[in-house]
Amino acid sequence: MTDNVPATPEEKIFDLVIRGRRIMTTAGVRAREVGVLNGSITAIVPLGTNLSGGVELDLADDETLLPGLVDSHVHVNEPGRTEWEGFASATKAAAAGGVTTIIDMPLNSVPPTVTVDALRQKRAVAADQVFVDVGFWGGAIPGNIADLRGLHDEGVFGFKCFLLHSGVDEFPHLEADEMEADMAELSSFDSIMIVHAEDSRSIDRAPTAEGDQYSRFLASRPRGAENVAIAEVIERARWTGSRAHILHLSSSDALPMIATAKRDGVRLTVETCPHYLTLLSEEIPNGATAFKCCPPIREASNRELLWQGLIDGTIDCIVSDHSPSTLDLKDLENGDFGVAWGGVSSLQLGLSLIWTEARQRGIPLEKVVEWMSKRPAELARLTRKGQLALGYDADFAVFAADDSFIVDVEKLHHKNPISPYDRKPLTGVVRRTYLRGEPVSVEHPRGQLIRRGAS
């Protein structure tokens, strides 16, 4: 594989030139100069070429220039539940963590993004306050099959459904037969169904989660509930020919059938999240509802198998599933896992969380960035995001891989100061973030609202 180097680099003035010994190109980390013009990467040449730019940046020896990360699983919640999170706070947090593109989930905003009108309302609210680029998923709920094509034509990147209660009444779940009917509709215009795959019947028969015992909550969301639901998604995708994506995989038991489905040609992709790759159920204190998410954080042995699933390609990507809420909804006073909202806030911390674990396992930074940038961009079919390559948007993160810090939840940009990672030591610091060649400033929102097929 070779660098994306023009055959005859022209002598010209770029808007921005970045030089460094550690530039993460598609050929690996190399000593390069990157030229940016009109927001796009237009030159990648050997260090020492001396490109000329209106702004020139020489990276420190301990800094690596990465493509901006793409997080395809973020709950922003605005409008309607803006006290949980909002576009300004979420996108500031994203930029601070090296994430330059997010795709917003169709819930927990009010209204949910299940009609074209609701999508337009969300875009109108977001338009002037985003610090990184923002796209949108549509929602598939009972009765809105006629809305799916309109939402697709308006630029949503695909459609999310639940196979059990979503946690909010305004976004009801689909039965498997309803999901199959929607998949058949989506296949007619080659969209994708992304699925919260837990089986409601399995959970109805599991122990209840009430009380402050984490072990009780874990038993209330058994692996079997995921496994049954994932099997349904696989077979319905097989029958309809639709693209399907499994959200936030936590059950390692499902990996063999996922691998088999992929070998069979089922159009299936799978994600997991930092909390399943870094946290352990054995270490979660009773009453610590900051750790509650659905599906739940599982055992150490399960975590190791998820890492193996990433390494062997069964799992495609890592995204945050940033699912914040207000402090009172986490029931911090009582620590009742049956009452607390289920969701982990980690949008700002994802790269550092995964790099901290990956380097201990001998996994190179290039692989981490592939899982957190290239692969999510491919999932959403973003053709100008996810790689540091010619013609791509000049979205960058300047990353100091050997720096370390201790998480202080009060200093994060997330609107509500709660995280299971508070006081956790992490390795890897994002020092600067660039969006289309411009440094991201927390005073001036320069992000754009992006549409399917346009970026």
Side-chain angles (χ1 to χ4, degrees), residues 109-376:
S109 57
V110 180
T113 317
V114 295
T115 65
V116 169
D117 181 64
L119 173 63
R120 289 172 177 164
Q121 288 184 54
K122 185 172 282 194
R123 281 184 171 145
V125 169
D128 298 323
Q129 57 170 331
V130 296
F131 291 82
V132 301
D133 286 356
V134 177
F136 301 93
W137 295 109
I141 63 172
N144 84 325
I145 192 169
D147 295 292
L148 302 182
R149 183 58 191 256
L151 282 161
H152 174 78
D153 290 344
E154 279 292 312
V156 300
F157 287 88
F159 296 87
K160 179 177 185 177
C161 74
F162 279 74
L163 290 177
L164 80 171
H165 194 281
S166 69
V168 291
D169 291 338
E170 69 273 4
F171 197 96
H173 71 280
L174 298 178
E175 298 297 333
D177 287 346
E178 293 173 312
M179 179 181 68
E180 182 184 342
D182 283 359
M183 282 180 162
E185 171 70 7
L186 298 186
S187 69
S188 71
F189 44 88
D190 199 27
S191 189
I192 187 170
M193 183 70 86
I194 64 174
V195 186
H196 182 123
E198 288 183 285
D199 178 63
S200 60
R201 294 161 298 180
S202 301
I203 289 176
D204 287 345
R205 298 181 184 187
T208 59
E210 283 73 17
D212 67 353
Q213 302 290 307
Y214 185 78
S215 60
R216 187 179 178 93
F217 168 64
L218 183 59
S220 77
R221 311 290 290 219
R223 296 190 203 189
E226 274 191 272
N227 304 336
V228 168
I230 290 169
E232 286 278 18
V233 174
I234 288 170
E235 295 313 307
R236 307 301 173 126
R238 189 194 307 275
W239 300 340
T240 61
S242 175
R243 288 193 294 143
H245 178 75
I246 302 298
L247 297 166
H248 45 53
L249 178 70
S250 83
S251 171
S252 63
D253 292 351
L255 291 170
M257 68 172 149
I258 291 168
T260 298
K262 288 186 169 190
R263 285 195 299 270
D264 288 348
V266 177
R267 303 171 73 194
L268 183 70
T269 50
V270 181
E271 69 184 43
T272 192
C273 306
H275 35 284
Y276 303 127
L277 297 167
T278 64
L279 301 174
L280 302 174
S281 63
E282 295 93 333
E283 296 177 351
I284 297 175
N286 290 331
T289 51
F291 291 80
K292 180 182 175 180
C293 56
C294 299
I297 296 156
R298 302 192 188 277
E299 305 85 357
S301 58
N302 184 84
R303 181 181 77 170
E304 297 315 302
L305 289 169
L306 291 178
W307 275 103
Q308 186 56 48
L310 280 161
I311 292 166
D312 66 27
T314 306
I315 301 173
D316 298 275
C317 57
I318 304 171
V319 293
S320 69
D321 187 13
H322 178 70
S323 183
S325 72
T326 55
L327 297 183
D328 61 299
L329 289 177
K330 277 294 190 179
D331 194 43
L332 300 177
E333 183 176 349
N334 300 310
D336 188 334
F337 284 99
V339 173
W341 175 259
V344 169
S345 297
S346 64
L347 181 55
Q348 186 169 334
L349 299 172
L351 178 57
S352 300
L353 286 164
I354 295 302
W355 175 234
T356 299
E357 286 286 332
R359 72 183 309 184
Q360 294 173 2
R361 299 162 186 274
I363 297 171
L365 184 58
E366 294 95 319
K367 199 65 182 174
V368 169
V369 173
E370 178 183 340
W371 290 328
M372 302 188 76
S373 188
K374 181 183 178 184
R375 297 299 183 191

Side-chain angles (χ1 to χ4, degrees), residues 47 50 54 85 89 127 261 270 273 346 403 410 414 442 444 454:
L47 186 63
N50 294 321
E85 191 68 279
S89 53
V270 181
C273 306
S346 64
D403 269 10
E410 297 290 342
H414 305 156
V442 294
H444 304 291

Side-chain angles (χ1 to χ4, degrees), residues 9-89:
E10 298 177 5
E11 291 291 333
K12 61 181 176 181
I13 301 295
F14 295 90
D15 299 325
L16 170 69
V17 172
I18 300 179
R19 302 185 185 90
R21 298 190 177 280
R22 297 187 55 80
I23 307 291
M24 189 174 289
T25 72
T26 55
V29 176
R30 300 287 189 269
R32 293 289 182 263
E33 299 179 10
V34 179
V36 176
L37 192 63
N38 298 324
S40 296
I41 300 169
T42 54
I44 304 173
V45 297
L47 186 63
T49 304
N50 294 321
L51 297 178
S52 179
V55 177
E56 299 183 8
L57 171 66
D58 293 308
L59 299 181
D61 287 343
D62 68 338
E63 293 177 338
T64 304
L65 188 70
L66 310 180
L69 303 190
V70 176
D71 193 335
S72 57
H73 194 150
V74 178
H75 294 266
V76 176
N77 308 331
E78 188 175 10
R81 292 190 175 94
T82 310
E83 69 275 14
W84 293 21
E85 191 68 279
F87 284 104
S89 53

